[in-house]
Amino acid sequence: MPSPYRAIFSAPGTKGFSAAGFFGRMPLSMMGIGIVTMISQLTGRYGLAGALSATLAMAAAVCGPQVSRLVDRYGQRRVLRPVTLVAVAAVAGLLVCAQQGAPEWTLFVFAVGAGCVPSVGSMVRSRWAEIYRGSSRDLHTAYSWESIVDEVCFIFGPIISIGLSTAWFPEAGPLIAAGFLLVGVFWLTAQRATEPVPHPKSQHTGGSALRSPGLQVLVATFVATGAIFGGVDVVTVAFAEERGHKAAASLVLAVYALGSCLAGAVFGLLHLKGNPGTRWLVGVCAMAVSMIPLLLAGNLPLLAVALFVAGLAIAPTMVTTMALVEAHVPRTKLTEGMTWTSTGLAVGVALGSSAAGWVVDAAGAKAGYAVPAVAGALAAVVAFLGYRRLAGPAATGGRGQDDRDLRTDDERVA
């Protein structure tokens, strides 16, 4: 690896928790698309498939921040293991009900339970933040690395999930995703040396991390951004099926993630100066503009090229988002703050996948790409309106405020 990436792994334990985080995050790219593939194969109904995927994402959006808040207070091991067991049991129930043709309401009940999955990416990033607190260059590289890992998951996850569900049996994709989650979380929580020290309840003053105005802008924008991702996933599967190559959808979506992966790798090597809020705004606008060519793609090769270009804006925007979260959220609520951005994405994925499923059923796959295009435009509007909250200094006790508090304490001691 290039030297900046080698340098961040010189700290003990970093390779282990990053590897565990990779396995734990695989379900992020496998579960939703696996459910869409499974239900579409068993019933042929993309509306139902999209609604179930949306239910899963919405449940994750509700549960994720609460789980992370408990993690900040009690530690990763004590919280993540029981929560993961609940999620895996719910996935098993969902697969059994789908295979046996149980009433539709049972599928939604288990989809809600499966949404209790923890935000493993936030857990890993909080470990990096604990190790490299005070070193913005190393933390930028670490966040870029984790963005690369995210995109590698999205390259191989859909291929594994869709490929197994179409070539083996419909339930195979979600089943393997649950296995990845179990292995990843238990491996991660077994590594106690790098686990961030939990903060007692007495230190959690001021309510939820979401009270930060800057974080509110990031989460609201990510709702629209998530709708882009959810819409693209569902419509691409339908687009490939209409052209008689449903299994190729996984390859096309992998190209989308590949573009983001390459951009993230280059971004991590850069030492950028200037306002990160401005870089974030440019990234969101680039994501919005990149949705327009999808409306014009008439075949799978052209669609793959358009998605590759669209993917180039994703990772740099995500990396900058994590830096902004760290700046605008108190240290004692960092895991919760990072999870709120994932929650915004999850809500958006729920809305985007559901809307895209209904549009595909009503007007066909090509028309479905209007959903991510509209979502991109909405993300750009929200980012513009909230830019001032991110461009100025954090007003809610983020990293800079914590450092000022520490200096004040030192001065008192002196």
Side-chain angles (χ1 to χ4, degrees), residues 81-109:
R81 290 192 171 189
V83 168
T84 298
L85 291 176
V86 171
V88 170
V91 171
L94 173 63
L95 301 188
V96 170
C97 289
Q99 197 274 334
Q100 296 296 322
E104 289 182 9
W105 66 266
T106 62
L107 302 179
F108 287 96
V109 169

mmCIF file of all heavy atoms in Angstrom, residues 81-109:
data_model
loop_
_atom_site.group_PDB
_atom_site.id
_atom_site.type_symbol
_atom_site.label_atom_id
_atom_site.label_comp_id
_atom_site.label_asym_id
_atom_site.label_seq_id
_atom_site.Cartn_x
_atom_site.Cartn_y
_atom_site.Cartn_z
ATOM 1 N N ARG A 81 -23.008 -7.717 20.911
ATOM 2 C CA ARG A 81 -23.237 -9.151 20.792
ATOM 3 C C ARG A 81 -24.702 -9.546 20.952
ATOM 4 O O ARG A 81 -25.245 -10.248 20.091
ATOM 5 C CB ARG A 81 -22.340 -9.909 21.780
ATOM 6 C CG ARG A 81 -20.864 -9.847 21.390
ATOM 7 C CD ARG A 81 -20.014 -10.807 22.170
ATOM 8 N NE ARG A 81 -18.649 -10.870 21.616
ATOM 9 C CZ ARG A 81 -17.741 -11.751 21.978
ATOM 10 N NH1 ARG A 81 -18.027 -12.647 22.933
ATOM 11 N NH2 ARG A 81 -16.546 -11.756 21.421
ATOM 12 N N PRO A 82 -25.407 -9.123 22.004
ATOM 13 C CA PRO A 82 -26.822 -9.494 22.094
ATOM 14 C C PRO A 82 -27.672 -8.900 20.981
ATOM 15 O O PRO A 82 -28.597 -9.555 20.482
ATOM 16 C CB PRO A 82 -27.245 -8.961 23.474
ATOM 17 C CG PRO A 82 -26.200 -7.982 23.861
ATOM 18 C CD PRO A 82 -24.945 -8.436 23.215
ATOM 19 N N VAL A 83 -27.368 -7.665 20.567
ATOM 20 C CA VAL A 83 -28.136 -7.045 19.482
ATOM 21 C C VAL A 83 -27.967 -7.831 18.190
ATOM 22 O O VAL A 83 -28.934 -8.040 17.436
ATOM 23 C CB VAL A 83 -27.694 -5.582 19.303
ATOM 24 C CG1 VAL A 83 -28.256 -5.000 18.012
ATOM 25 C CG2 VAL A 83 -28.139 -4.738 20.481
ATOM 26 N N THR A 84 -26.753 -8.285 17.924
ATOM 27 C CA THR A 84 -26.488 -9.057 16.706
ATOM 28 C C THR A 84 -27.231 -10.383 16.709
ATOM 29 O O THR A 84 -27.766 -10.820 15.677
ATOM 30 C CB THR A 84 -24.973 -9.303 16.560
ATOM 31 O OG1 THR A 84 -24.313 -8.038 16.438
ATOM 32 C CG2 THR A 84 -24.667 -10.147 15.336
ATOM 33 N N LEU A 85 -27.291 -11.033 17.847
ATOM 34 C CA LEU A 85 -28.022 -12.305 17.931
ATOM 35 C C LEU A 85 -29.504 -12.106 17.634
ATOM 36 O O LEU A 85 -30.138 -12.944 16.974
ATOM 37 C CB LEU A 85 -27.831 -12.922 19.316
ATOM 38 C CG LEU A 85 -26.418 -13.430 19.633
ATOM 39 C CD1 LEU A 85 -26.340 -13.932 21.068
ATOM 40 C CD2 LEU A 85 -26.001 -14.532 18.660
ATOM 41 N N VAL A 86 -30.072 -11.009 18.098
ATOM 42 C CA VAL A 86 -31.481 -10.707 17.795
ATOM 43 C C VAL A 86 -31.675 -10.515 16.299
ATOM 44 O O VAL A 86 -32.615 -11.050 15.693
ATOM 45 C CB VAL A 86 -31.934 -9.452 18.565
ATOM 46 C CG1 VAL A 86 -33.312 -8.991 18.086
ATOM 47 C CG2 VAL A 86 -31.975 -9.724 20.063
ATOM 48 N N ALA A 87 -30.783 -9.760 15.673
ATOM 49 C CA ALA A 87 -30.893 -9.493 14.236
ATOM 50 C C ALA A 87 -30.766 -10.778 13.416
ATOM 51 O O ALA A 87 -31.528 -11.002 12.472
ATOM 52 C CB ALA A 87 -29.828 -8.493 13.808
ATOM 53 N N VAL A 88 -29.820 -11.633 13.773
ATOM 54 C CA VAL A 88 -29.615 -12.882 13.030
ATOM 55 C C VAL A 88 -30.831 -13.801 13.182
ATOM 56 O O VAL A 88 -31.278 -14.438 12.209
ATOM 57 C CB VAL A 88 -28.335 -13.585 13.517
ATOM 58 C CG1 VAL A 88 -28.239 -14.994 12.935
ATOM 59 C CG2 VAL A 88 -27.108 -12.778 13.111
ATOM 60 N N ALA A 89 -31.395 -13.863 14.374
ATOM 61 C CA ALA A 89 -32.591 -14.682 14.581
ATOM 62 C C ALA A 89 -33.760 -14.167 13.742
ATOM 63 O O ALA A 89 -34.542 -14.952 13.177
ATOM 64 C CB ALA A 89 -32.961 -14.691 16.061
ATOM 65 N N ALA A 90 -33.886 -12.847 13.627
ATOM 66 C CA ALA A 90 -34.967 -12.269 12.829
ATOM 67 C C ALA A 90 -34.774 -12.561 11.345
ATOM 68 O O ALA A 90 -35.747 -12.840 10.626
ATOM 69 C CB ALA A 90 -35.042 -10.763 13.064
ATOM 70 N N VAL A 91 -33.530 -12.516 10.871
ATOM 71 C CA VAL A 91 -33.267 -12.862 9.466
ATOM 72 C C VAL A 91 -33.659 -14.307 9.198
ATOM 73 O O VAL A 91 -34.278 -14.622 8.164
ATOM 74 C CB VAL A 91 -31.778 -12.643 9.129
ATOM 75 C CG1 VAL A 91 -31.457 -13.199 7.739
ATOM 76 C CG2 VAL A 91 -31.437 -11.163 9.178
ATOM 77 N N ALA A 92 -33.343 -15.199 10.121
ATOM 78 C CA ALA A 92 -33.718 -16.605 9.955
ATOM 79 C C ALA A 92 -35.234 -16.750 9.854
ATOM 80 O O ALA A 92 -35.749 -17.493 9.012
ATOM 81 C CB ALA A 92 -33.167 -17.428 11.127
ATOM 82 N N GLY A 93 -35.963 -16.017 10.710
ATOM 83 C CA GLY A 93 -37.422 -16.073 10.645
ATOM 84 C C GLY A 93 -37.959 -15.538 9.332
ATOM 85 O O GLY A 93 -38.908 -16.091 8.756
ATOM 86 N N LEU A 94 -37.355 -14.465 8.816
ATOM 87 C CA LEU A 94 -37.781 -13.894 7.535
ATOM 88 C C LEU A 94 -37.603 -14.894 6.400
ATOM 89 O O LEU A 94 -38.502 -15.069 5.554
ATOM 90 C CB LEU A 94 -36.978 -12.631 7.264
ATOM 91 C CG LEU A 94 -37.159 -11.969 5.896
ATOM 92 C CD1 LEU A 94 -38.597 -11.491 5.721
ATOM 93 C CD2 LEU A 94 -36.190 -10.800 5.730
ATOM 94 N N LEU A 95 -36.470 -15.577 6.382
ATOM 95 C CA LEU A 95 -36.195 -16.524 5.303
ATOM 96 C C LEU A 95 -37.144 -17.718 5.355
ATOM 97 O O LEU A 95 -37.619 -18.186 4.309
ATOM 98 C CB LEU A 95 -34.748 -17.001 5.377
ATOM 99 C CG LEU A 95 -33.661 -15.923 5.282
ATOM 100 C CD1 LEU A 95 -32.279 -16.554 5.177
ATOM 101 C CD2 LEU A 95 -33.905 -14.999 4.104
ATOM 102 N N VAL A 96 -37.429 -18.207 6.558
ATOM 103 C CA VAL A 96 -38.347 -19.339 6.688
ATOM 104 C C VAL A 96 -39.745 -18.952 6.216
ATOM 105 O O VAL A 96 -40.399 -19.693 5.473
ATOM 106 C CB VAL A 96 -38.378 -19.835 8.150
ATOM 107 C CG1 VAL A 96 -39.506 -20.849 8.354
ATOM 108 C CG2 VAL A 96 -37.038 -20.456 8.534
ATOM 109 N N CYS A 97 -40.210 -17.771 6.622
ATOM 110 C CA CYS A 97 -41.544 -17.323 6.213
ATOM 111 C C CYS A 97 -41.631 -17.122 4.701
ATOM 112 O O CYS A 97 -42.642 -17.455 4.070
ATOM 113 C CB CYS A 97 -41.903 -16.028 6.937
ATOM 114 S SG CYS A 97 -42.237 -16.229 8.691
ATOM 115 N N ALA A 98 -40.582 -16.564 4.101
ATOM 116 C CA ALA A 98 -40.580 -16.364 2.655
ATOM 117 C C ALA A 98 -40.587 -17.695 1.921
ATOM 118 O O ALA A 98 -41.324 -17.873 0.930
ATOM 119 C CB ALA A 98 -39.351 -15.541 2.254
ATOM 120 N N GLN A 99 -39.799 -18.643 2.400
ATOM 121 C CA GLN A 99 -39.704 -19.937 1.727
ATOM 122 C C GLN A 99 -40.993 -20.732 1.854
ATOM 123 O O GLN A 99 -41.395 -21.460 0.941
ATOM 124 C CB GLN A 99 -38.524 -20.719 2.313
ATOM 125 C CG GLN A 99 -38.047 -21.880 1.468
ATOM 126 C CD GLN A 99 -38.829 -23.160 1.740
ATOM 127 O OE1 GLN A 99 -39.374 -23.340 2.831
ATOM 128 N NE2 GLN A 99 -38.896 -24.028 0.749
ATOM 129 N N GLN A 100 -41.669 -20.594 2.983
ATOM 130 C CA GLN A 100 -42.893 -21.347 3.231
ATOM 131 C C GLN A 100 -44.147 -20.641 2.728
ATOM 132 O O GLN A 100 -45.245 -21.169 2.875
ATOM 133 C CB GLN A 100 -43.036 -21.618 4.738
ATOM 134 C CG GLN A 100 -41.945 -22.507 5.319
ATOM 135 C CD GLN A 100 -41.979 -23.910 4.735
ATOM 136 O OE1 GLN A 100 -43.056 -24.481 4.498
ATOM 137 N NE2 GLN A 100 -40.797 -24.487 4.472
ATOM 138 N N GLY A 101 -44.004 -19.456 2.170
ATOM 139 C CA GLY A 101 -45.163 -18.731 1.666
ATOM 140 C C GLY A 101 -46.082 -18.238 2.761
ATOM 141 O O GLY A 101 -47.312 -18.214 2.582
ATOM 142 N N ALA A 102 -45.529 -17.840 3.884
ATOM 143 C CA ALA A 102 -46.323 -17.341 5.005
ATOM 144 C C ALA A 102 -46.996 -16.019 4.635
ATOM 145 O O ALA A 102 -46.611 -15.369 3.653
ATOM 146 C CB ALA A 102 -45.429 -17.163 6.233
ATOM 147 N N PRO A 103 -47.996 -15.600 5.412
ATOM 148 C CA PRO A 103 -48.667 -14.321 5.126
ATOM 149 C C PRO A 103 -47.669 -13.167 5.067
ATOM 150 O O PRO A 103 -46.660 -13.156 5.778
ATOM 151 C CB PRO A 103 -49.634 -14.159 6.308
ATOM 152 C CG PRO A 103 -49.908 -15.550 6.751
ATOM 153 C CD PRO A 103 -48.640 -16.321 6.529
ATOM 154 N N GLU A 104 -47.970 -12.181 4.243
ATOM 155 C CA GLU A 104 -47.030 -11.081 4.022
ATOM 156 C C GLU A 104 -46.687 -10.332 5.298
ATOM 157 O O GLU A 104 -45.556 -9.872 5.473
ATOM 158 C CB GLU A 104 -47.598 -10.114 2.984
ATOM 159 C CG GLU A 104 -47.612 -10.676 1.573
ATOM 160 C CD GLU A 104 -48.139 -9.673 0.559
ATOM 161 O OE1 GLU A 104 -48.333 -8.487 0.957
ATOM 162 O OE2 GLU A 104 -48.359 -10.047 -0.599
ATOM 163 N N TRP A 105 -47.644 -10.217 6.231
ATOM 164 C CA TRP A 105 -47.374 -9.443 7.432
ATOM 165 C C TRP A 105 -46.249 -10.057 8.254
ATOM 166 O O TRP A 105 -45.512 -9.340 8.944
ATOM 167 C CB TRP A 105 -48.639 -9.285 8.276
ATOM 168 C CG TRP A 105 -49.185 -10.571 8.869
ATOM 169 C CD1 TRP A 105 -50.145 -11.368 8.344
ATOM 170 C CD2 TRP A 105 -48.790 -11.167 10.110
ATOM 171 N NE1 TRP A 105 -50.388 -12.446 9.157
ATOM 172 C CE2 TRP A 105 -49.577 -12.341 10.253
ATOM 173 C CE3 TRP A 105 -47.873 -10.845 11.100
ATOM 174 C CZ2 TRP A 105 -49.458 -13.188 11.356
ATOM 175 C CZ3 TRP A 105 -47.749 -11.690 12.208
ATOM 176 C CH2 TRP A 105 -48.538 -12.842 12.333
ATOM 177 N N THR A 106 -46.084 -11.388 8.176
ATOM 178 C CA THR A 106 -44.994 -12.016 8.917
ATOM 179 C C THR A 106 -43.635 -11.599 8.353
ATOM 180 O O THR A 106 -42.659 -11.454 9.102
ATOM 181 C CB THR A 106 -45.115 -13.540 8.883
ATOM 182 O OG1 THR A 106 -45.023 -14.006 7.519
ATOM 183 C CG2 THR A 106 -46.445 -14.002 9.463
ATOM 184 N N LEU A 107 -43.568 -11.402 7.052
ATOM 185 C CA LEU A 107 -42.318 -10.951 6.447
ATOM 186 C C LEU A 107 -41.930 -9.576 6.978
ATOM 187 O O LEU A 107 -40.753 -9.319 7.278
ATOM 188 C CB LEU A 107 -42.460 -10.898 4.921
ATOM 189 C CG LEU A 107 -42.853 -12.199 4.208
ATOM 190 C CD1 LEU A 107 -42.974 -11.949 2.712
ATOM 191 C CD2 LEU A 107 -41.834 -13.291 4.484
ATOM 192 N N PHE A 108 -42.897 -8.698 7.107
ATOM 193 C CA PHE A 108 -42.604 -7.355 7.602
ATOM 194 C C PHE A 108 -42.209 -7.362 9.074
ATOM 195 O O PHE A 108 -41.349 -6.585 9.499
ATOM 196 C CB PHE A 108 -43.810 -6.436 7.357
ATOM 197 C CG PHE A 108 -43.998 -6.048 5.922
ATOM 198 C CD1 PHE A 108 -44.868 -6.748 5.102
ATOM 199 C CD2 PHE A 108 -43.288 -4.987 5.380
ATOM 200 C CE1 PHE A 108 -45.032 -6.403 3.768
ATOM 201 C CE2 PHE A 108 -43.453 -4.620 4.047
ATOM 202 C CZ PHE A 108 -44.324 -5.337 3.238
ATOM 203 N N VAL A 109 -42.833 -8.238 9.858
ATOM 204 C CA VAL A 109 -42.481 -8.336 11.280
ATOM 205 C C VAL A 109 -41.018 -8.731 11.442
ATOM 206 O O VAL A 109 -40.262 -8.109 12.209
ATOM 207 C CB VAL A 109 -43.397 -9.343 12.002
ATOM 208 C CG1 VAL A 109 -42.863 -9.653 13.404
ATOM 209 C CG2 VAL A 109 -44.815 -8.804 12.090
#
